[in-house]
């Protein structure tokens, strides 16, 4: 890894700062320009969080997803929090994602590529730049990389030192994730045992007894054949990748480095970066920035995205049509998928882009409950997935991935699921700093539902 970028990339007018000549949506107005410059300089001098070879390896794994030979599970917080940061919460989130992955691996019969919304997911796009309560107007909360959610003027003022704090929290998080996934915690035998506990301890879990028993039988079969579950590297360790929305561009620019071996530019803030529904403007700063880095990229697409627009984004972000480079994450809302998705799949296919198709069944299904909580219904989440699988089956394209917001904590943020959380329960443990997340049991429940959908 070499030093600070600024030179031109060989093939275009792209530089790490060329985004600055384009309109950049969803950026805070940093009140202290000198503090922002200091933060950028500090970040530019810090070690990268991820390296080029990792970004390439994840692209290879996603290429297998694009070919229909693997499945993507991308999951984690809506917004990571500076306050709720502990080893336990990282462990519990990882645990749920690993549990979901085992179920999906068995059902799909293909490897599951595990990507966390973690170690960098600290910034949020907002529908309105202003929040109003009882006649008081303040700047919206934009994630802990920018400001704090407390409703007072000081807390809401964008503070550039948070960019550096976010980097350090991301580094500590990634360090623990690497230790857990390479140090035995992620061993298949453990994960399977956690799933069995889920099946035994909940009434909903019992629905999945059959699949859990089949996995159990498969593991016994492997052991009988002399495959030691503790000895095989592939059963004892796993790869776990990081991702976040590349929203706050000064942070991303300062962590972009040139690979000294190839000259490629790599966004070293995370393995996979995505562009959100609100910032994916073709001529905007976010698309410009992402077009020049070699990381695998995600693009969020709502039901209003047009086929022309989506093909143009594919062309702009992946002109070379590299399998694994692009993951199109649709978040259309239950009831909209059958109408909006087929034309996108057909247009992208006709244009020859080898994309991964993933479904985010969360962001199109958000509403505010009567008692004022932003929430989502478990049934709408499953409903959108059902529609999404049906469209892919009908068009013969591979339903490649699931993108969800979840936590390992026992929160009450989404309605329904195994414990039938009702509107009156939402206030009990509603701790998200942004969107409502599935709790651990709802997440496992969803994984078993998706397992059934994968099996057709
Ligand atoms: C998100 O993933 O948290 C998000 C804001 O998504 P979208 O851009 O799809 O609205
Ligand atoms: Co969200």
């Amino acid at each position: 890894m070499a030093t600070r970028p600024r030179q031109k990339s060989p093939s275009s007018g792209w530089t790490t700062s060329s985004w600055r000549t384009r309109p950049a949506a969803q950026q805070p107005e940093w009140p202290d320009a000198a503090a922002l410059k200091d933060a950028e300089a500090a970040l530019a001098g810090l070690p990268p969080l991820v390296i080029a070879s990792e970004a390439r390896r994840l692209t290879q794994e996603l290429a297998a997803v694009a070919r229909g030979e693997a499945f993507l599970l991308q999951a984690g917080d809506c917004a990571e929090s500076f306050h709720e940061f502990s080893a336990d919460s990282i462990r519990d989130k990882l645990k749920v994602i690993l549990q979901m992955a085992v179920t999906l691996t068995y059902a799909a019969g293909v490897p599951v590529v595990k990507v966390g919304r973690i170690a960098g997911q600290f910034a949020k796009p907002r529908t309105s730049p202003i929040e109003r309560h009882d006649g008081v107007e303040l700047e919206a909360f934009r994630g802990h990389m920018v400001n704090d959610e407390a409703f007072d003027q000081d807390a809401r003022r964008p503070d550039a030192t948070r960019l550096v704090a976010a980097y350090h929290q991301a580094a500590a998080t990634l360090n623990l994730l690497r230790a857990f996934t390479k140090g035995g915690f992620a061993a298949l035998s453990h994960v399977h045992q956690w799933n069995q506990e889920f099946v035994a301890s909940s009434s909903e879990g019992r629905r999945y007894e059959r699949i859990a028993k089949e996995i159990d039988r498969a593991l016994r079969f492997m052991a009988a054949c002399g495959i030691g579950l503790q000895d095989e590297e592939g059963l004892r360790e796993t790869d776990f990748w990081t991702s976040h929305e590349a929203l706050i561009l000064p942070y991303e620019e300062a962590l972009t480095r040139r690979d000294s071996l190839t000259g490629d530019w790599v966004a070293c803030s995370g393995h996979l970066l995505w562009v959100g529904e609100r910032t994916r403007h073709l001529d905007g700063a976010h698309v410009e920035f992402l077009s020049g880095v070699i990381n695998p990229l995600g693009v969020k697409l709502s039901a209003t995205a047009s086929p022309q627009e989506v093909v143009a984004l594919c062309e702009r972000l992946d002109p070379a049509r590299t399998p694994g480079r692009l993951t199109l994450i649709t978040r259309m809302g239950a009831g909209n998928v059958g109408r909006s998705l087929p034309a996108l799949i057909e247009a992208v296919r006709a244009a020859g882009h080898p994309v991964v198709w993933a479904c985010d069944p969360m962001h199109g299904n958000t509403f505010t409950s009567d008692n004022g909580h932003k929430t989502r219904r478990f049934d709408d989440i499953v409903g959108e997935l059902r529609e999404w699988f049906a469209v892919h089956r009908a068009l013969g394209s591979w339903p490649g991935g699931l993108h969800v917001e979840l936590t390992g904590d026992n929160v009450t943020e989404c309605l329904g699921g195994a414990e039938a959380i009702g509107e009156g329960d939402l206030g009990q443990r509603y701790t998200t700093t942004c969107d409502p997340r599935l709790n651990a049991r709802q997440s496992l429940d969803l994984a078993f539902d998706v397992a059934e959908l994968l099996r057709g």
Side-chain angles (χ1 to χ4, degrees), residues 309-323:
E309 181 184 11
V310 174
V311 168
L313 278 166
C314 291
E315 194 59 44
R316 180 93 165 77
L317 293 172
D318 183 29
R321 292 168 170 71
T322 306

Side-chain angles (χ1 to χ4, degrees), residues 357-373:
W357 289 101
C359 179
D360 163 0
M362 313 295 292
H363 288 88
N365 293 311
T366 318
F367 68 99
T368 303
S369 71
D370 291 340
N371 50 18
H373 286 104

Side-chain angles (χ1 to χ4, degrees), residues 318-380:
D318 183 29
R321 292 168 170 71
T322 306
R325 160 75 165 171
L326 270 190
T327 295
L328 300 182
I329 307 162
T330 61
R331 28 85 91 222
M332 298 181 159
N336 300 325
V337 182
R339 192 174 58 241
S340 300
L341 182 60
L344 301 190
I345 296 175
E346 277 164 355
V348 169
R349 181 188 276 160
H353 287 284
V355 303
V356 169
W357 289 101
C359 179
D360 163 0
M362 313 295 292
H363 288 88
N365 293 311
T366 318
F367 68 99
T368 303
S369 71
D370 291 340
N371 50 18
H373 286 104
K374 216 193 214 194
T375 189
R376 294 155 172 160
R377 285 190 192 88
F378 187 82
D379 288 349
D380 290 340

Side-chain angles (χ1 to χ4, degrees), residues 77-79 117 121 124 300 363 376 405 434-435:
D77 271 311
C78 178
R117 289 175 58 114
Q121 179 54 19
K124 300 312 300 174
K300 293 287 208 89
H363 288 88
R376 294 155 172 160
E405 290 183 339
C434 193
D435 288 343

Side-chain angles (χ1 to χ4, degrees), residues 84-99:
E84 311 260 316
F85 172 49
S86 70
D88 286 0
S89 76
I90 296 167
R91 180 200 60 208
D92 292 344
K93 208 169 302 160
L94 175 66
K95 183 175 163 185
V96 175
I97 297 172
L98 294 172
Q99 284 182 271

